[in-house]
Amino acid sequence: MSTDRRRPFPFDQFEPRWQRVWDERQTFHTPNPGEPGFDATRPKFYVLDMFPYPSGAGLHVGHPEGYTATDIIGRYKKMRGFNVLHPMGWDAFGLPAEQYAIKTGQHPRATTEANVANFKSQLQRIGFGYDWQREVNTTDPAYFKWTQWIFVQLYNSHFDTEKNCARPVSELIEKRKAEFLNESEDKRRAFVDSHRLAYVSDAPVNWCPELGTVLANEEVIDGKSEVGGHPVERRPMRQWMLRITAYAQRLIDELDGLDWPESIKIHQRNWIGRSEGAEVKFKIADCPPGMDETITVFTTRPDTLYGATYMVLAPEHVLVEELVTEEQATAVEEYREKATRKSDLERAELTKDKTGVFTGAFAINPVSGERIPIWIADYVLTGYGTGAIMAVPAHDERDWEFARKFALPIREVVSPEPRLALGGGGVCDAEPLECFHGEGYAIHSGPLDGLPTAAAKAEIIRRLEAEGLGKKTINFKLRDWLFSRQRYWGEPFPVVWENGKHRALDESELPVVPPALTDFKPTGTPEPPLSKAKDWVRYQPVHHERGDDVSKAFPLPSLSEIEGVEPCHSTATRELNTMPQWAGSCWYYLRYMDNKNADRFVGAEAERYWTTGTTSHQSPVTSHKVPHGGVDLYVGGTEHAVLHLLYARFWHKVLFDLGHVSTPEPFQRLVNQGLILGEDGQKMSKSRGNVVNPDDVIKEYGADALRLYEMFMGPLEATKPWSMSGVEGVFRFLARVWRLVMEENQAGEWQRSAAVQDVPDWEQSNKPLAKVVHATIKKVGEDIEDLSFNTAIAQMMVCTNALTAENPRPRTAMQLLLQILNPFAPHLTEELWSVVNPNAGLLADLAWPAYDPELLIEDEIELPVQVNGKLREKIVVKKDAAQSDIEAIALACPRVLEHTTGKTVRKIVVVPGRLVNIVAS
RNA sequence: GCCGAGGUGGCGAAAUUGGCAGACGCGCCAGACUUAGGAUCUGGUUCCGAAAGGAGUAGGGGUUCAAGUCCCCUCCUCGGCACCA
C-alpha cells in the first residue's frame, strides 16, 4: 500500500486546524449564570458522558461511540439555541493505576497524569466540542476535598424513618437526650454511631488476599474479584459502610419519573430486591433457662406455615452455639468451620448439592404446635432476612431438595386447584410427588383451608400479629455499601481515631491528602498501605482557609518533606483505609457545573441552573412522579446499570435531603450505547488481537470519518461489529461531499468547484432538488432528537447523491447540507463552509436551518394497488383525489383486471395516501 | 433456572408503528472515462424462475382486507443475575 497516495480530501491538514480554531475561540465554552457572556434567555441542556478511567492502553473505538453521540447532540442543541453543558473529566483513582505503579515502580500520580494527557489528546483529535474549562479529575485535591466533604455529610447524618429522609445527627442527639435523660455519654454515642449514614461495622467482608483489599459484594463475581479474577474469602474486618439500605424504597419508587431504558430500571429494582412477607417467631422446644427462647424467620409465604416441617439457620447464626446439643456439637462445629472457610466460589460451585447438619435442637411450629428439628445449612444466608428460615419442602425448591436428601417430612399445604372448602381440611395423608411453588389454595392448614394464597397470607399475618407471634415485613436484597478499601490510590477518609473512637474532620481540614509514599504495595495483611506512612498516620491538625487553592497540595514523593515533619504530640491517628473508586464518580456531574468553586462542592446558583433550568430560587422538586430535572441526557454503557448509577442516585438523594442540591434524582434521561465488537464479531480484547485504535482510523481516514462511521454502524444502543470497509464507505461519502464543493485544478490543487453557483430562487425553479434538501433538513433534525444517527446519515447520503447529479449546484443548497452535516462531520463542513461562504463566521456558531414544509407537499402521489393483499400495480393520483375516483382508477388498471376478472370484487380498502387493496374472490 | 435484549439479503442495517419488505452503506456484477485503476461516474443486485409468476422477515399456529410489526406456542443467539426464603 502506498503511503504517499493522494488523499481524496486533505483531512489531515484541515482537521487539526479547525480543532485549533475551536480551542482558540473557546467555541464550546459555556459560561455559568453570572459570568460574562451568559445568556439567561436561552434554555439549558446538560448532556453528559460517563467519564473514562484513563488506562494506560488509551482509547479504543468503543469510547468514542457514546462520546460522538453526545457531541452531535451537544452541537445540535447549541445550534438550536440552548446553553449546552457538555463536559469531560477523569475517573482517575483506582486499582489498575496502583497495580501498574507497583509493577513499574512509578508513582500512580505520575502514570495517571501521563494517561490523562494521552486520553485528552486522543479525544481532542476526534474534534469533540467539550468545554475543557470544566474538566475535572477525581485525583485532584481540589476535587477530592469535596468527595471527602460529602463523606462528612454522610457521617453527620442519619436516616429519619418518619420523615423518610436524611437529617443531621444533631437532631437525633437532641431527640435522644430528651428521651433518655440519664443516658451516659458513651451509650448515647454508641446509639448515634449506629445510626449514621456512614458507620463502622465488623461484619464479615470479601477479602481478596491477592489484591490486598476488601471488595464490595458487587465487585465479587462467582467468588472471584471482578478485577483480575482472584479468589476472595470472607473474613470479619472493621470497615466503613454506607447505609444505602435506608434508601432502598426510595431508590425503587423514584425510578418511576425517570426517562431510562426499562431494562435498566428492572435491573435496579431486581438488585434492590424488595420482597414482602412476614417475620414469624418460633419457640425453641425444651428451652434451656436464661436464653432467648425464640427464633425469628423471614418468609414471603407465611400462608405455608402449616407446612413448615423443619427450620434452618445460617451456619453463622448467633443462636447456633446456644442451641446445639452435646451429641451434635462436634458435627455442627465442623460444619460451621468448613462453611466459614469456604469461599463464595466454592459455595457457588456446590449449588446443586445441599449440605447441612442437624443441631439436635427442636422448635415449635407456632400454628400446628408440632416439634420440628432445627438444622444449619449454608444454603441459608446470614445476610438476608433474619438468617433463619422455616423450611416448607412441599412448596420451596431448595427446601424440597434438602428434605429429600436428609429424609425430612414433606407436607403439602397448597394446592394448585381449590380442593377443599373453606374451613374443611384434615391432616396430610401422603407426601406430594413434586414441589409446587406457585400460588394456589391452602389445604391441610386449619383455618386457612380453601383460601387462595393472597388471602391466606393476609389471614395468617392477621392471626400472627394478634398473638404477637409475627408481623408483616418487607425485606430487601440490597446490602449496605462496603465503602473502605486497603489501597493507596484512593481518597483518604476525613476521619481520625482517638481512644478507639472515630471523629470526622472539620471542613477547614479538608482535603486530607495521601502521604507521599514511595512504597505503597499492599502490606500482605489487612493493614492498609497507608500504615507505612508513620508520620502521616499521627494526626496533626491542618487548617485551610476557605477558598484556598488546594490543587497543588499533592506533591510527588520527596524525602526531605517527609522527614521534615514535626514530631506530633497528638494521640489521634488517621483512618488508614481509602475510599473505593465509585466515590469520585458518585458526584462528578455536579462538579462540572462549577468546577472551580473553592467554597462549595458546587455553587448553588450554578447547580440550580444546570439541573432545573432556572436561575431564580424556587422550592425544590418534591413530587417523584414528575420529571426530576438534573442531567438532560446521560450516555454510557450498561456495565454501570446498577453500581455507579445506584451509588450516584443514593449520594444525590442524601445531598437533596440535606438541602445541597435541587432535585431528588441526578439523571433525568439515560441512554446505553451498545458494545462495539471486533471485526470477527467477538468482544474486542488485547488477547484476541481485534482491538481497533481510533488513532489509526484517524490517521487513515480522518476524525470525521471515524465519527460518522461510529454513528452509521447501526442504532446507538445495539451491539455491532466494527468493519473497516464500512469506514471506507462513509469516508467515500465525505469525499463526495468534498467534491460537491471542490475540484482539482491543473496543478492538482483543490479549489472551489465551478459548478457551485448562486442560483436565485432555486427552490422554486428546481422543485425536486428543493424537496430532497428540505426533506433532509426535516429528517436529520428529527433523527438527531431521536438519537437515530444512522438514518440521519443515510438521508444526508441521499441528499448528497441528489446534489452530485446537479449542475449548476445552488450555493445555498450546499450551505444547507453543510449546516446539518456539521454536528456529524464538524471539520469537513467548517472547511467547506469557509470556502462557500467566507467571512460568515464559524458554522458551529450558526443556528440550525429551518425547512419549508410547503416544499415537501406533493401535488400527485403514487399509490400501490393490491389485489388480495398482493402488490399488482402502482397508480398516480392527485393528492386530494376522491376515494371513488381512486377506486375507479385502481379497478381499471390492466394488471388489476388480470387478477379480478372472473371474480367478484367484495371490498375495496382505500387508505388515503397509503395504498389501495381490492378484495376479490 | 430466572430476568433482559435480540433473530430481516452474501454483510452492517431501514421500514412514518398494522399499509409497497430490504432505504442508506459494504460487497458483488455490468458499463463509461481512462496508459492504468484498489480513483471517479452510471446502472443492476432478496431468493427460485428464461419469462409469466411464485416464495420470502428463526419455525409453527392465530387475529385482520392487510402482519417484520399484534396474540399464543417452539427453537436459537447475546447480555445480566444466580440458593435472597
Side-chain angles (χ1 to χ4, degrees):
Chain A
M1 188 194 294
S2 76
T3 48
D4 57 344
R5 174 161 61 93
R6 192 177 160 74
R7 301 186 191 280
F9 60 99
F11 61 83
D12 52 324
Q13 291 163 33
F14 64 71
E15 285 186 349
R17 197 169 68 237
W18 288 108
Q19 286 162 14
R20 262 198 315 278
V21 170
W22 298 327
D23 185 42
E24 279 160 13
R25 301 194 194 174
Q26 286 293 293
T27 304
F28 298 102
H29 171 59
T30 310
N32 268 353
E35 288 176 2
F38 176 76
D39 181 353
T41 62
R42 291 166 177 257
K44 67 95 184 182
F45 194 82
Y46 186 178
V47 53
L48 178 68
D49 296 296
M50 288 185 184
F51 68 163
Y53 175 77
S55 72
L59 290 180
H60 59 82
V61 292
H63 285 108
E65 187 191 16
Y67 301 164
T68 305
T70 55
D71 194 50
I72 291 168
I73 292 280
R75 286 170 177 267
Y76 169 78
K77 289 286 183 184
K78 176 177 157 68
M79 294 170 99
R80 282 286 199 187
F82 286 78
N83 286 327
V84 173
L85 178 56
H86 187 209
M88 182 44 80
W90 317 105
D91 187 15
F93 273 131
L95 197 51
E98 182 170 319
Q99 287 183 314
Y100 183 76
I102 291 166
K103 220 164 58 189
T104 62
Q106 287 170 280
H107 194 273
R109 181 158 173 90
T111 56
T112 299
E113 268 171 17
N115 290 350
V116 164
N118 180 40
F119 259 66
K120 187 170 177 178
S121 81
Q122 282 190 299
L123 290 180
Q124 284 176 323
R125 257 172 280 159
I126 306 175
F128 292 132
Y130 288 121
D131 182 355
W132 285 111
Q133 290 185 38
R134 295 176 180 271
E135 183 175 354
V136 302
N137 183 327
T138 56
T139 66
D140 181 349
Y143 181 90
F144 67 68
K145 168 180 176 175
W146 298 107
T147 311
Q148 292 169 337
W149 178 85
I150 295 171
F151 176 84
V152 174
Q153 307 310 302
L154 289 156
Y155 179 88
N156 285 329
S157 305
H158 79 287
F159 194 82
D160 185 325
T161 46
E162 276 165 38
K163 295 184 178 131
N164 196 27
C165 72
R167 300 299 303 164
V169 281
S170 54
E171 285 185 9
L172 188 66
I173 294 169
E174 288 315 308
K175 217 175 120 195
R176 189 73 182 178
K177 275 183 182 163
E179 217 173 310
F180 299 88
L181 290 167
N182 299 320
E183 189 175 40
S184 72
E185 196 71 32
D186 275 1
K187 279 222 171 111
R188 184 157 58 236
R189 156 110 208 201
F191 172 80
V192 168
D193 282 350
S194 68
H195 285 80
R196 295 176 188 274
L197 291 182
Y199 65 96
V200 171
S201 157
D202 272 306
V205 295
N206 304 299
W207 167 253
C208 178
E210 193 70 26
L211 296 175
T213 184
V214 301
L215 300 168
N217 287 329
E218 297 86 288
E219 294 169 300
V220 181
I221 295 172
D222 286 339
K224 285 182 281 187
S225 64
E226 189 182 19
V227 176
H230 306 296
V232 172
E233 59 194 46
R234 291 187 73 77
R235 61 155 85 179
M237 283 172 61
R238 196 190 70 193
Q239 299 291 334
W240 284 98
M241 309 288 288
L242 298 187
R243 203 177 301 281
I244 190 173
T245 50
Y247 281 83
Q249 191 61 53
R250 276 173 62 188
L251 286 167
I252 290 175
D253 293 343
E254 291 165 27
L255 280 171
D256 286 350
L258 296 180
D259 209 357
W260 288 20
E262 202 50 40
S263 60
I264 299 286
K265 291 190 186 182
I266 290 169
H267 205 152
Q268 291 218 343
R269 286 192 200 102
N270 290 347
W271 189 269
I272 297 165
R274 178 194 153 101
S275 52
E276 282 182 32
E279 279 184 4
V280 183
K281 286 182 190 167
F282 281 67
K283 277 207 165 62
I284 294 163
D286 321 316
C287 190
M291 76 170 273
D292 185 352
E293 80 273 21
T294 63
I295 300 173
T296 307
V297 303
F298 174 72
T299 176
T300 54
R301 291 298 297 271
D303 59 302
T304 62
L305 187 49
Y306 283 85
T309 52
Y310 63 102
M311 292 184 83
V312 187
L313 306 188
E316 300 90 345
H317 198 284
V318 286
L319 286 179
V320 173
E321 259 170 74
E322 299 176 54
L323 284 171
V324 65
T325 58
E326 246 170 73
E327 307 86 80
Q328 291 300 99
T330 344
V332 165
E333 198 35 56
E334 240 170 61
Y335 186 79
R336 296 184 84 189
E337 177 74 13
K338 250 195 318 202
T340 45
R341 265 210 326 269
K342 246 193 226 178
S343 68
D344 280 6
L345 177 63
E346 286 168 307
R347 283 204 186 185
E349 272 174 358
L350 298 170
T351 295
K352 295 135 262 159
D353 199 20
K354 297 269 180 295
T355 59
V357 175
F358 178 44
T359 60
F362 289 84
I364 308 293
N365 183 317
V367 287
S368 66
E370 200 177 353
R371 273 169 67 95
I372 59 174
I374 303 171
W375 287 62
I376 61 170
D378 64 5
Y379 84 90
V380 173
L381 308 173
T382 183
Y384 184 77
T386 60
I389 62 157
M390 63 179 212
V392 185
H395 305 291
D396 181 283
E397 292 282 0
R398 298 151 300 186
D399 298 344
W400 170 268
E401 269 177 53
F402 193 81
R404 296 291 291 234
K405 178 159 175 187
F406 295 104
L408 292 156
I410 300 171
R411 179 159 313 143
E412 190 180 16
V413 292
V414 182
S415 161
E417 306 297 333
R419 286 219 307 248
L420 293 163
L422 195 72
V427 205
C428 181
D429 26 31
E431 293 199 344
L433 296 172
E434 55 181 16
C435 174
F436 169 68
H437 57 258
E439 302 213 333
Y441 300 83
I443 53 169
H444 309 312
S445 295
L448 305 180
D449 281 348
L451 289 175
T453 298
K457 280 183 186 174
E459 176 61 16
I460 190 75
I461 288 171
R462 197 185 62 75
R463 284 166 179 269
L464 289 170
E465 280 177 350
E467 292 177 54
L469 292 171
K471 60 172 197 254
K472 189 173 173 176
T473 316
I474 291 159
N475 238 300
F476 295 94
K477 274 202 285 194
L478 186 69
R479 315 288 164 86
D480 276 339
W481 177 9
L482 175 71
F483 195 64
S484 42
R485 299 291 184 276
Q486 292 67 48
R487 285 181 195 157
Y488 172 69
W489 196 230
E491 299 89 347
F493 280 77
V495 167
V496 292
W497 291 81
E498 198 156 18
N499 304 323
K501 294 192 182 77
H502 47 74
R503 171 166 73 78
L505 296 178
D506 187 75
E507 185 182 328
S508 66
E509 298 184 74
L510 306 182
V512 178
V513 176
L517 275 184
T518 43
D519 169 23
F520 33 79
K521 285 198 234 0
T523 56
T525 69
E527 185 83 345
L530 288 184
S531 64
K532 296 180 181 179
K534 300 286 181 226
D535 291 314
W536 183 86
V537 170
R538 271 177 287 140
Y539 164 68
Q540 303 178 86
V542 191
H543 289 277
H544 301 281
E545 289 304 311
R546 251 189 123 70
D548 267 2
D549 177 12
V550 291
S551 59
K552 302 286 184 294
F554 190 4
L556 286 169
S558 146
L559 280 176
S560 58
E561 278 176 46
I562 297 171
E563 284 163 357
V565 168
E566 293 258 322
C568 179
H569 306 295
S570 161
T571 54
T573 58
R574 291 189 185 277
E575 168 66 48
L576 299 179
N577 285 302
T578 53
M579 299 185 196
Q581 201 185 342
W582 307 108
S585 59
C586 266
W587 72 284
Y588 72 111
Y589 58 93
L590 292 169
R591 190 63 182 170
Y592 282 141
M593 298 174 191
D594 194 15
N595 66 330
K596 302 210 170 48
N597 197 321
D599 296 327
R600 204 167 180 270
F601 71 114
V602 54
E605 192 185 17
E607 188 277 330
R608 201 157 49 237
Y609 179 69
W610 290 115
T611 57
T612 67
T614 63
T615 47
S616 62
H617 191 73
Q618 54 172 216
S619 57
V621 180
T622 46
S623 167
H624 306 136
K625 302 297 175 196
V626 297
H628 299 293
V631 174
D632 297 285
L633 177 64
Y634 192 20
V635 176
T638 43
E639 65 272 23
H640 296 115
V642 278
L643 306 184
H644 160 63
L645 289 171
L646 202 61
Y647 294 154
R649 291 180 65 217
F650 163 50
W651 277 34
H652 195 94
K653 286 181 190 307
V654 175
L655 292 170
F656 174 70
D657 288 352
L658 299 176
H660 298 305
V661 297
S662 336
T663 64
E665 283 284 336
F667 315 117
Q668 178 56 39
R669 183 172 180 207
L670 174 73
V671 170
N672 293 123
Q673 90 268 19
L675 200 64
I676 293 185
L677 306 172
E679 296 228 40
D680 53 1
Q682 301 289 111
K683 216 170 184 160
M684 278 194 196
S685 74
K686 237 191 264 173
S687 57
R688 284 202 186 84
N690 60 355
V691 177
V692 181
N693 184 332
D695 291 349
D696 299 337
V697 180
I698 291 173
K699 202 165 160 225
E700 189 89 1
Y701 303 103
D704 285 335
L706 170 72
R707 297 168 58 106
L708 212 60
Y709 178 65
E710 295 263 2
M711 296 298 98
F712 190 61
M713 293 172 82
L716 182 62
E717 282 151 287
T719 303
K720 49 220 175 249
W722 189 264
S723 154
M724 274 305 176
S725 42
V727 180
E728 266 183 75
V730 294
F731 179 63
R732 282 205 285 262
F733 161 65
L734 291 174
R736 280 162 74 89
V737 174
W738 176 262
R739 288 194 309 271
L740 282 179
V741 178
M742 307 297 278
E743 64 188 6
E744 268 180 297
N745 64 17
Q746 292 295 323
E749 292 157 345
W750 290 108
Q751 59 184 32
R752 180 170 149 175
S753 167
V756 178
Q757 293 171 21
D758 284 310
V759 183
D761 280 337
W762 67 276
E763 279 150 323
Q764 294 309 316
S765 58
N766 192 344
K767 282 268 171 73
L769 182 68
K771 199 192 149 194
V772 174
V773 171
H774 283 257
T776 303
I777 296 170
K778 178 173 193 276
K779 181 160 174 61
V780 171
E782 288 168 354
D783 283 355
I784 292 175
E785 301 270 2
D786 293 344
L787 309 184
S788 293
F789 303 111
N790 53 334
T791 52
I793 295 166
Q795 181 62 36
M796 288 188 282
M797 288 173 167
V798 170
C799 184
T800 300
N801 292 344
L803 281 163
T804 305
E806 294 290 328
N807 193 354
R809 294 194 275 272
R811 189 168 70 110
T812 50
M814 312 293 294
Q815 289 178 2
L816 289 169
L817 175 64
L818 293 177
Q819 278 181 276
I820 57 172
L821 180 57
N822 174 259
F824 298 79
H827 311 86
L828 176 93
T829 48
E830 286 286 8
E831 180 72 11
L832 294 179
W833 180 258
S834 72
V835 171
V836 205
N837 206 358
N839 313 318
L842 283 183
L843 197 41
D845 289 329
L846 251 60
W848 186 258
Y851 66 91
D852 181 355
E854 290 288 316
L855 293 168
L856 302 182
I857 298 168
E858 303 253 18
D859 294 340
E860 295 190 318
I861 50 169
E862 192 186 60
L863 278 187
V865 180
Q866 300 178 336
V867 178
N868 292 333
K870 289 203 165 75
L871 180 70
R872 296 299 174 189
E873 187 63 280
K874 289 182 179 179
I875 57 174
V876 176
V877 297
K878 287 260 177 285
K879 180 191 58 162
D880 46 6
Q883 191 140 328
S884 54
D885 294 344
I886 295 174
E887 286 181 16
I889 298 167
L891 283 170
C893 295
R895 307 266 322 282
V896 171
L897 285 171
E898 263 175 54
H899 291 91
T900 50
T901 38
K903 292 176 180 170
T904 316
V905 174
R906 306 260 173 219
K907 190 175 178 184
I908 304 178
V909 183
V910 178
V911 185
R914 300 290 330 161
L915 57 42
V916 181
N917 189 13
I918 298 163
V919 186
S921 59

